[in-house]
Amino acid sequence: MSVQELIDISRLYGSNPAYVIAGGGNTSFKEGATLFVKGSGTSLGDISAEGFVKMDRAKLARIWEKEYPHDEDQREAAVLADMMAAKQRGEESKRPSVETLLHDLLPFTFVVHTHPSLVNGLTCSQDGETAARKLFGETCLWIPITNPGYILSAAVKKAADAYRVRTGKPADLIFLQNHGVFVGADSIEEIKAIYTKILAVLDQKIARKPDFSGKIGVYGDSADIARLLAACAGQNFRVAFERNAEFARLTGTGADFAPVSSAFTPDHIVYSGSDPLFITIDDTKGLPEQVRDAWKRHLDKTGRAPKIAAVQGRGIFGIGTSEKTASLAIELFTDTAKVAAYSESFGGPRFMTADKIDFINNWEMEKYRSKVVEKP
Ligand SMILES: [Zn+2]
């Protein structure tokens, strides 16, 4: 067991879009008193030894003995400070993953956390918890929707401790509602076996897979609409466009768009926003006014510019401060469409709640992460 194995398994899942998109997910390895955990702002797909932060496990364990302020912002700041102080010498310039505490508390040599679309079809569905128990039995833990950071780690700790008392074993498969999955094992072979099983079981259960065929980057007046949206967004904004079979279906009417009209997970919020804008188009009326009016109404309602505009009869527009962030918005929206389609097999989609969405929109850590991605 070695750091090299950690690098190998991180790259394996990090470069597979079925598991990880946009640098999401994180991994760790424990060796004696040291936890090697993915650094914030690094991507699993091309990670090297420097991408991991060496943490002092004794110092991390001490975090659980401390009392933190009740106020959310104060608490997260205090925990972050203690986490930064738990870095080993020589790691000063790095920032450990926000899920570090969670990695440390699972008593396995390797922990691999990802956000696979198939898994999120389950974790972002109405009957997800019941379906998870039916499909994976008592071997899995289900954690209800929780704000990320310390609060999530505390919720998992409580559930994992109870699980251990109940079963005599540590929990090695943990589903996080509206987020993803944690898998732990003492060898990378076991990690792979658990993941292969999860995805095979879910794949077999999914009744409808979305159809992304017929992908095109220009359709009818899409270039005009892209220019109008860029003008609404402001100077230096870029707009990307995509139409495919699934996007054509989703942009039929407002009702068709409903299953993808909000956010499923924190990653979706960070890259494609929490409030995609659906623009109804009346072809007998002028296009510019309709786009501008819809944009203005959206701003008035949400206080935020959209990162995704779905235009009736056209397709999906991604809006960002660079070509890269504009296409990332579409990439994450594509994942939203997958999650929505898969969730149909588990009672239909279930978005994050409004308070959890607000938390992410205001979260300092996520701002940091999206800023890292926006760097050229
Ligand atoms: Zn995560």
Side-chain angles (χ1 to χ4, degrees), residues 25-26 99 113-115 176 179 182:
N26 40 62
E99 279 140 354
H113 165 53
T114 61
H115 312 140
L176 308 177
H179 183 152
F182 268 82

Side-chain angles (χ1 to χ4, degrees), residues 118 203-212 245-246 249-250 256 259-260 336-345:
L118 267 175
D203 190 72
Q204 216 253 322
K205 203 69 202 159
I206 298 299
R208 185 176 82 84
K209 291 190 180 152
D211 175 9
F212 296 108
E246 188 69 10
R249 200 183 64 75
L250 289 170
D256 294 324
V260 290
T336 295
K338 286 183 195 170
V339 172
Y342 299 154
S343 75
E344 291 168 14
S345 302

